[in-house]
Amino acid sequence: MHRTKDHHDGGFQGKLWQVHKFGGTSVQNAECFLQVASIVEEQLGLIDNTENPEMSSSCSFCCYLAVVVSAMGGKPKVTDLLLESVTAASLRDEQRVQQVLDLILSKHDDCLDALEIIQKDSRLELKRRIRKDIDDIRDILKTVSLMKWKAERISELVSGYGETWSAQILNELLMERSRQRKDVGGGNAFLQHCFRYIDARRVITIDEDAIENGAVCWDISREKLKQVYQEEYAQVCDLYGLEKGENSQIQMHFVITGYVASNTDGVATTLQRDGSDYSASIMGRLLQSTNITIWTDVDGVLSADPRRVPDSYVLPEVSFNEAMELAYFGAKVIHPKTMQPAIMGEPQIPIYIRNTFNSKFRGSRIFTSSTTHTDRDRCVCGFSSIEKMAIVNVEGSGMVGVKGVARRLFGTLESMGINVVLISQASSEHSITFATTMAQAQSAKLAIEEEFHKEIKQNHISNIDVVAPCSIIAAVGDGMHLTTGVAGRFFSALGDAKINILAISQGSSERNISAVVLESESTRALRAIHAAFRLSHTNVRVGIVGMSEVGESLLKLLDGQRQKLKSAFEIDLQVCAVLKNSKTSEIVVLENQLGGVDADSITVVEYSHHMGDSLLLGASASSVKFEEPSMVGTKLVNGGLEQFSHQVFSEDCAHTIIFDCTGDVQVSAKHAEWLGSGIHVVTANNTGLSGSKALRDAIKKAEISKKAHYLREVAVGGGLPILSTLRDLLSSGDHIRRIDGILSVSMSYIMHRIAPPPGGIECSTYDESITMGAYRHDKSMSPSVGRLQPCTFSQAVREAIGMGLMEEDPMKDLSNEYTARCLMVLARELGMDDEYDVSKIQSQSSCLVSKLEDKYSDIEADLDVMMKKRVTAAAAKGCVPRHVFSVDVKRGLVSINLVDVPSNHIFATTAPSCECVRFFTERHKTYPLIVQGPSAGADSTASALLAEVLNMMKNKVGSKSGNISRSTSTSFLA
C-alpha cells in the first residue's frame, strides 16, 4: 500500500483513508470481480504479497478504503448500452430497446452465476434488484418513446444505473469473502472488515449552473458524507450487535458508485466524461485520503502511445502539471479534471495509475515531483498527440497593426461554440493560425468569412485556408524550463524525419512544445521525437540487396552486433528485407513489421532457412559472436527488385536504409528512385555514379532534394577513407592539384606478384619483432608471398581469381573498367564528371587488352610474354611496373597507365591486394597526403558500410560511446 511521508496521519473522522477506483475493464466479468476483490484484500494486508512486499503496508490494519466502481465494461459496455436504449426509445424502436435491456440483464446474470462464492440467496437478491431497476428503466423509456424526446436529464438518470449494479455486486463479494475469513489485527484482537455499499448520489453534490460540467459543492458534500458515515456505521454496529460509538473491532470500508452524483435540488445527474475517475478524486478530497489509485488496463502513464511508439515505457513519476499537459494532448490514462480535487486538497493527494491485471507492478505516481530534470537528455517525460484536427490560417496585409482583429476573430469563434486548441501568430501580425477539430473547421471558416466580409472584399484579408486532417504533436516535461536546446532538438528530429511542420506553439512556462503536422505523418513524428530525447532507440529499417560475400558479411555483422549498436549508438538497425540479387524474384521479409524494444530483425539463420544459402559456414562466420539463436517470423514474398523498396519503407519509421552490396547496373539504376522516396542508400556499387549521364544526373538531382543521404564512401577504395579525405580537404579550403595511386586491388596483387619489390621479407620480419604480436603477416594472401618469388602474369591472375580479387573473367579488370568506374566517382566529387565517362577514361589510358570482346584464354600466353619483357626492362632501370591512375585537376586529365616506378617508391612497396592514393594539394605539395591500406575483404567492406551509417546517424541521435573495429575475420564494436 502506498505511503507518503509528507501526508497527515489522519483524514476524515481522524482515520487514514485510501481511495481505489476500478474502471469498467476491471469489472467486465466475474473473473475480473474476483481479481478486484483480491487487490482490495492485498491493500488491507489480508493477502500476503510475498512477490512484492513493499507494495503492502505494515499498517494495513489501520487503513480504511473507499472503493469506487465503474459500470461493467467489456464489449459492449453497460453504460453504452444504457445510453443506446434511450436513443432507441426516442426513435420508438421497441424491439431494439428490448434487445438492449435483455443484453444488460444477461450480462449481469452471467456474472452473478459465475460468482459462486456469494451465497445463493444473496445472488438471487441482487438479481431481483437489477430486474427491478430494469423494469424502472423500461417505464422511463416508455415515456421517452411516447414523447420521442431524448432529454439529457433522462440520459443521465438511465446511464447511471450501471455503476449501482457493479458496486452492489462487488460489495456483496467483498462482504462474503470477509465473512469467510477470520481477520486478525494488532495483537490477538478480533477485527471484522465490513464493506458498505454507498450510492454516490447520497454524497457528491454538484452545482450544474456554476460551469458547463458542474462544480462540486464541497461544503454540502462534506456534510452529506458525515451524515452517511454515521448512518452506515450505526447500521454496522446493529448488524454485529455492538454498541454505538468508535469500536476497534469494526473496520468499515465503502464501495461507492462512480460517475453518478446529484445536483443541488437532489436530482440524479452524472459527472460526464471520465466521471468515475472524477468521483474517485472527489471522494479522495472529501475523505482527505493519503492517496488515490486509479486501477485500469495499462501499467501506468506511458511516455507515448504504445500502439504508435512501440518503445514507449511507463513513467514512474509524473508531476500534476505534466500529467495535465499529457492528458489534454490525448493521453488516455487520466482526464485533466480528475486531478483537480487532488491538487486542491490540503495537503495535495498523490494519484497512482496501476494495472488491475498486473497488480504487482508499481505503476505511475502523479504528484508534485517528476522524473525529468534540466539535462537535455532527460528534460522531457513524454509525448502525446491529438488527431483529427484542422488548422485555419487567416492571412492578409490589412491585419498588420490593426487593433481588435484577434478579439473579433476569437469572439466570433466563441459565439459559434468553436473550441480553439492552439494559436500561433507571426510577430509581423500578417497572419493568425489556430487549430480546431476537423468537425468544426468549416464552420469556423464560414463564420470568419462572414465576420470579415468587408476586409475580404477590400482584399485586406487575402486568404482563409483550412488544412486537414492534421495532428498536434506535443512534447511535455517540467525539465524543459530554462533548459537550452530543447526546441532545437525537437524540431531537428522532425526535420530529420522529413516531417513538414505546419504551425508551432510554446507557452512561457516552457512545459510544452507543440507542433501541427499532417495526420499521415504523425506516427513517424512521434517516433522520431521520442527517440531524439533518448526515451527510446531510433528505429532504422534496413534492406540489403546483394548476398555476395559483402552482403553476407554485412548481415552477419548486423545480426551479431545489434544489441551493441543499440547500447553504443542508440539506434536499432532492423533488417526488414533481403534480396539475393537483381535477378531473384523472392524477397525475405519480416512477418512482424512493428518496431520497438523487442522488434524482430532478419538474421543469418532466417535468411539461410529460406534461401538455402549456408551463411554460417566459413572462416569469417566462425568468429562472429551471435546471441542465442532464435527464429523470428520471416516469409518469402514475390516482387524482386521492383518491389524491394516497398518491403523496406514504412511511413511510420523516420529512417529507412538500403544497402547495395552488388556491382549490378540494374540495382544502381534504382538508386535515384529510392533516394526520391526518402530512403537512404549506402552503396558499395559504383555503377550508378559511373553509369550513363542521365542516371548520374538523376542521382545528383535526388541528392539535391535532400530527402535522403547517398553514402558512397565504399564505392571507391572499399574500406579506405578516400572520399571522406577528399571532402575534408575541399571543405577545409585546400585546393586539389593531383590525385594518383593504385585503386585496383586485383592489379595491385598481380603486379606485386610478377615484380615484387626488394626487402619485403626484411620489412615483415622487422615489424613482427617490434609490434609484440600486433602485426601479423598474412601469408594466406598468396602461397608464394613468403618467398617473394616472382611468377608469370597468368599464374598471378589465377591466384587473384582464386582469392576472390577478380571475377572468373578477368577482362574487366585488365581493360581498366573497374578503376575507371572508381575514377568517375572521384571526378564527381571534383566536379569533373560532366566531361568524362567510363569509355572516355578507358580510351585515353593504356590497357593490357585492346578489345573487351577478346577471351582471356586467347591472349593469356601473349600477356605472359609481354609482361615478362616489361618486368625485365623495368628491372634494368631499378624499377618495377605498377598499375597507376592519375587525376590531373588543373589540366582536367583522367587516365590509368602501366608505369615503371622506382623499386623503393611507395607504389612499388604497396603490399599485395592493397590500395594507395596520394593527394597533392596546395598544402601538400612536396609531401602528399597518403591513404593506404587493404581494400579487399568482405568483412572490411561490410564494416565500412556500417560505419557510414553510424556517422550519418550520430548527427541525428548522437552517440554515447563505441567505435567500429575490424579484424581479419569479422567486424565488431569495441
Side-chain angles (χ1 to χ4, degrees):
M1 193 180 302
H2 308 294
R3 289 288 167 199
T4 310
K5 291 181 179 179
D6 45 28
H7 268 67
H8 45 65
D9 293 330
F12 177 73
Q13 296 293 309
K15 305 180 187 302
L16 287 175
W17 288 89
Q18 290 190 354
V19 176
H20 292 264
K21 182 265 176 180
F22 293 92
T25 55
S26 300
V27 290
Q28 59 184 307
N29 53 42
E31 184 180 354
C32 292
F33 271 101
L34 292 170
Q35 173 66 14
V36 168
S38 297
I39 291 173
V40 170
E41 290 165 352
E42 275 187 16
Q43 301 304 310
L44 293 172
L46 305 179
I47 296 177
D48 291 333
N49 192 350
T50 55
E51 292 185 29
N52 203 353
E54 69 269 18
M55 296 303 291
S56 295
S57 171
S58 59
C59 301
S60 298
F61 296 105
C62 307
C63 195
Y64 293 76
L65 300 186
V67 181
V68 180
V69 189
S70 296
M72 290 180 68
K75 294 183 178 180
K77 298 177 181 178
V78 168
T79 301
D80 291 344
L81 289 172
L82 289 167
L83 290 171
E84 184 184 349
S85 71
V86 178
T87 301
S90 68
L91 299 173
R92 293 186 175 179
D93 188 347
E94 295 181 9
Q95 182 178 2
R96 183 55 186 163
V97 169
Q98 189 60 45
Q99 288 175 344
V100 170
L101 295 180
D102 288 346
L103 181 56
I104 293 171
L105 185 61
S106 172
K107 192 178 181 80
H108 288 84
D109 281 352
D110 292 344
C111 178
L112 284 167
D113 289 340
L115 292 173
E116 296 180 352
I117 187 174
I118 301 176
Q119 294 293 323
K120 185 176 181 180
D121 291 344
S122 298
R123 280 185 282 148
L124 290 174
E125 174 60 21
L126 284 171
K127 288 183 179 182
R128 186 193 66 77
R129 292 181 200 168
I130 294 172
R131 277 174 168 76
K132 181 181 181 303
D133 287 343
I134 288 181
D135 288 339
D136 292 341
I137 293 171
R138 189 176 283 110
D139 291 339
I140 295 171
L141 296 181
K142 287 179 181 178
T143 304
V144 173
S145 178
L146 181 64
M147 299 178 66
K148 299 179 70 174
W149 179 44
K150 189 176 70 172
E152 186 67 27
R153 183 70 69 197
I154 291 176
S155 295
E156 290 186 348
L157 174 63
V158 172
S159 65
Y161 274 96
E163 278 72 17
T164 66
W165 299 329
S166 58
Q168 290 180 73
I169 293 172
L170 179 60
N171 184 75
E172 192 60 45
L173 175 62
L174 291 169
M175 281 298 295
E176 187 61 44
R177 288 168 67 120
S178 180
R179 283 191 288 265
Q180 294 179 13
R181 180 188 299 105
K182 292 184 178 179
D183 301 322
V184 180
N188 294 318
F190 176 75
L191 178 64
Q192 179 65 50
H193 288 279
C194 182
F195 296 88
R196 301 296 292 174
Y197 162 68
I198 304 294
D199 188 333
R201 289 174 287 202
R202 295 171 59 192
V203 177
I204 300 177
T205 304
I206 63 172
D207 182 358
E208 292 180 301
D209 297 327
I211 55 175
E212 184 178 346
N213 291 322
V216 179
C217 301
W218 293 104
D219 291 338
I220 297 174
S221 299
R222 286 191 188 94
E223 290 302 318
K224 285 186 175 182
L225 178 60
K226 290 179 183 178
Q227 181 180 348
V228 167
Y229 180 86
Q230 292 169 359
E231 292 173 357
E232 294 298 325
Y233 193 78
Q235 292 181 29
V236 168
C237 290
D238 291 340
L239 180 65
Y240 291 99
L242 302 172
E243 295 184 8
K244 302 294 190 295
E246 291 299 321
N247 196 310
S248 60
Q249 294 177 290
I250 296 293
Q251 193 163 332
M252 185 176 69
H253 312 287
F254 293 153
V255 179
I256 308 170
T257 57
Y259 183 60
V260 296
S262 61
N263 63 17
T264 51
D265 296 325
V267 178
T269 185
T270 68
L271 298 175
Q272 304 296 322
R273 178 188 171 192
D274 292 288
S276 292
D277 289 354
Y278 192 29
S279 298
S281 189
I282 292 170
M283 292 304 303
R285 185 181 178 195
L286 292 174
L287 293 168
Q288 297 172 277
S289 65
T290 59
N291 57 66
I292 301 164
T293 302
I294 309 294
W295 293 89
T296 180
D297 55 357
V298 295
D299 284 337
V301 180
L302 292 161
S303 58
D305 186 343
R307 294 167 300 181
R308 306 175 70 188
V309 184
D311 279 344
S312 60
Y313 62 93
V314 175
L315 302 169
E317 298 279 339
V318 182
S319 72
F320 283 125
N321 289 327
E322 289 173 334
M324 197 80 71
E325 295 280 1
L326 287 170
Y328 179 77
F329 279 91
K332 306 297 184 185
V333 175
I334 190 168
H335 194 272
K337 71 179 182 182
T338 301
M339 290 177 274
Q340 293 171 1
I343 296 171
M344 294 164 59
E346 296 180 2
Q348 292 181 335
I349 307 168
I351 299 175
Y352 291 83
I353 308 297
R354 296 182 62 186
N355 191 342
T356 304
F357 310 103
N358 185 18
S359 60
K360 307 303 179 186
F361 188 75
R362 181 173 290 276
S364 300
R365 184 180 82 150
I366 303 173
F367 198 39
T368 55
S369 61
S370 169
T371 55
T372 60
H373 49 71
T374 55
D375 181 348
R376 277 197 297 172
D377 287 344
R378 297 292 304 279
C379 62
V380 174
C381 72
F383 301 90
S384 195
S385 66
I386 310 177
E387 308 302 317
K388 300 188 183 306
M389 302 300 293
I391 59 170
V392 181
N393 183 55
V394 182
E395 184 176 323
S397 58
M399 298 168 58
V400 178
V402 179
K403 296 180 180 179
V405 173
R407 177 187 59 78
R408 289 175 59 195
L409 173 63
F410 294 111
T412 299
L413 297 175
E414 190 274 334
S415 67
M416 296 293 295
I418 293 170
N419 182 37
V420 176
V421 178
L422 176 147
I423 302 171
S424 178
Q425 182 177 15
S427 59
S428 65
E429 302 182 41
H430 184 258
S431 66
I432 298 176
T433 302
F434 65 90
T436 186
T437 62
M438 284 179 60
Q440 294 182 314
Q442 287 303 319
S443 299
K445 181 180 180 181
L446 293 174
I448 296 169
E449 288 175 341
E450 183 177 347
E451 173 66 25
F452 291 94
H453 69 280
K454 290 183 180 179
E455 288 83 352
I456 295 172
K457 186 176 181 180
Q458 295 170 357
N459 207 32
H460 291 164
I461 292 180
S462 55
N463 289 307
I464 302 175
D465 298 323
V466 176
V467 180
C470 299
S471 296
I472 301 178
I473 308 295
V476 175
D478 287 342
M480 293 162 59
H481 181 61
L482 298 180
T483 303
T484 59
V486 176
R489 180 176 291 194
F490 180 84
F491 293 116
S492 292
L494 293 177
D496 287 338
K498 299 176 284 294
I499 304 294
N500 183 39
I501 300 171
L502 304 176
I504 60 175
S505 177
Q506 181 180 16
S508 60
S509 67
E510 299 184 66
R511 190 175 291 114
N512 177 312
I513 300 178
S514 302
V516 183
V517 303
L518 293 176
E519 190 174 275
S520 60
E521 298 178 337
S522 61
T523 297
R524 187 162 83 251
L526 279 172
R527 292 184 181 186
I529 56 179
H530 194 269
F533 286 91
R534 302 196 188 283
L535 300 187
S536 62
H537 298 107
T538 298
N539 181 245
V540 181
R541 292 175 62 87
V542 173
I544 300 176
V545 183
M547 292 306 290
S548 58
E549 288 186 5
V550 173
E552 293 176 5
S553 183
L554 179 62
L555 184 58
K556 294 169 188 174
L557 180 61
L558 295 174
D559 182 10
Q561 304 301 318
R562 187 181 178 202
Q563 295 305 318
K564 288 186 179 180
L565 290 171
K566 281 185 181 183
S567 175
F569 295 92
E570 293 196 337
I571 62 172
D572 181 15
L573 297 177
Q574 181 189 18
V575 182
C576 301
V578 180
L579 181 66
K580 185 173 184 179
N581 53 53
S582 62
K583 297 180 177 60
T584 307
S585 62
E586 293 179 321
I587 310 169
V588 180
V589 300
L590 286 175
E591 287 184 342
N592 177 14
Q593 294 286 342
L594 295 176
V597 178
D598 300 317
D600 292 338
S601 180
I602 299 173
T603 66
V604 174
V605 176
E606 283 79 40
Y607 178 80
S608 300
H609 171 73
H610 286 291
M611 304 305 294
D613 296 337
S614 182
L615 304 189
L616 297 176
L617 301 178
S620 61
S622 64
S623 58
V624 178
K625 297 179 180 178
F626 295 101
E627 299 173 15
E628 289 297 322
S630 59
M631 294 291 289
V632 300
T634 55
K635 61 182 179 181
L636 286 175
V637 297
N638 288 319
L641 188 62
E642 289 298 319
Q643 295 297 316
F644 184 73
S645 62
H646 300 295
Q647 298 296 333
V648 184
F649 183 77
S650 170
E651 283 286 352
D652 293 339
C653 187
H655 303 286
T656 305
I657 292 173
I658 291 180
F659 287 98
D660 181 357
C661 301
T662 72
D664 195 329
V665 176
Q666 286 183 285
V667 179
S668 64
K670 287 289 183 181
H671 288 183
E673 177 186 324
W674 294 341
L675 291 168
S677 301
I679 300 173
H680 305 299
V681 177
V682 188
T683 180
N685 181 1
N686 57 26
T687 59
L689 291 173
S690 62
S692 66
K693 190 173 188 305
L695 178 57
R696 301 199 311 265
D697 289 344
I699 293 173
K700 186 180 294 186
K701 183 179 179 180
E703 272 195 285
I704 293 173
S705 70
K706 295 185 179 179
K707 289 186 177 180
H709 293 276
Y710 192 50
L711 307 180
R712 51 188 178 271
E713 179 76 67
V714 184
V716 179
L720 295 182
I722 294 172
L723 289 184
S724 57
T725 300
L726 174 57
R727 291 178 190 138
D728 289 344
L729 290 170
L730 294 171
S731 299
S732 64
D734 206 347
H735 296 283
I736 309 296
R737 299 166 62 89
R738 175 186 173 88
I739 305 173
D740 63 15
I742 300 170
L743 271 179
S744 171
V745 292
S746 57
M747 294 306 295
S748 172
Y749 177 81
I750 292 169
M751 293 300 160
H752 199 284
R753 286 290 289 117
I754 65 174
I761 294 178
E762 290 83 353
C763 291
S764 296
T765 303
Y766 175 75
D767 285 338
E768 286 179 346
S769 67
I770 67 167
T771 56
M772 306 294 290
Y775 171 83
R776 184 185 64 183
H777 188 56
D778 192 353
K779 297 180 174 60
S780 66
M781 291 299 292
S782 169
S784 307
V785 77
R787 298 186 298 274
L788 290 179
Q789 294 298 319
C791 67
T792 64
F793 187 85
S794 58
Q795 174 63 31
V797 169
R798 285 192 291 273
E799 289 179 7
I801 293 173
M803 294 162 56
L805 301 178
M806 299 182 82
E807 301 291 336
E808 290 293 331
D809 181 5
M811 295 300 285
K812 284 188 177 182
D813 290 280
L814 298 179
S815 66
N816 295 330
E817 180 181 337
Y818 173 78
T819 305
R821 290 191 181 279
C822 292
L823 293 183
M824 282 299 299
V825 181
L826 283 176
R828 162 77 177 273
E829 300 295 326
L830 293 166
M832 299 169 60
D833 57 321
D834 286 340
E835 303 169 14
Y836 278 93
D837 57 27
V838 172
S839 59
K840 183 176 179 179
I841 295 175
Q842 287 177 299
S843 67
Q844 60 188 38
S845 302
S846 60
C847 299
L848 291 174
V849 293
S850 58
K851 294 181 180 179
L852 194 58
E853 58 269 19
D854 289 341
K855 291 184 178 179
Y856 172 72
S857 57
D858 295 338
I859 61 173
E860 184 179 48
D862 294 338
L863 284 174
D864 276 343
V865 173
M866 182 181 72
M867 290 310 300
K868 184 175 181 181
K869 291 180 180 179
R870 181 64 182 263
V871 170
T872 303
K877 299 183 294 183
C879 298
V880 290
R882 290 294 182 259
H883 188 262
V884 178
F885 79 88
S886 63
V887 179
D888 191 321
V889 178
K890 186 175 182 180
R891 293 191 297 166
L893 297 178
V894 181
S895 62
I896 308 158
N897 296 290
L898 198 63
V899 297
D900 295 336
V901 301
S903 57
N904 59 352
H905 192 277
I906 189 170
F907 291 162
T909 58
T910 295
S913 61
C914 285
E915 294 181 351
C916 178
V917 177
R918 302 190 302 174
F919 295 90
F920 292 89
T921 72
E922 290 295 329
R923 298 170 186 164
H924 301 276
K925 295 178 181 177
T926 307
Y927 301 104
L929 182 63
I930 299 173
V931 178
Q932 185 181 35
S935 166
D939 294 320
S940 177
T941 304
S943 179
L945 288 168
L946 178 57
E948 283 230 80
V949 171
L950 299 181
N951 286 332
M952 175 186 71
M953 294 303 299
K954 75 179 181 181
N955 296 321
K956 303 179 184 299
V957 300
S959 60
K960 290 190 204 170
S961 62
N963 61 300
I964 295 292
S965 300
R966 301 165 185 166
S967 71
T968 55
S969 57
T970 189
S971 305
F972 58 92
L973 275 169

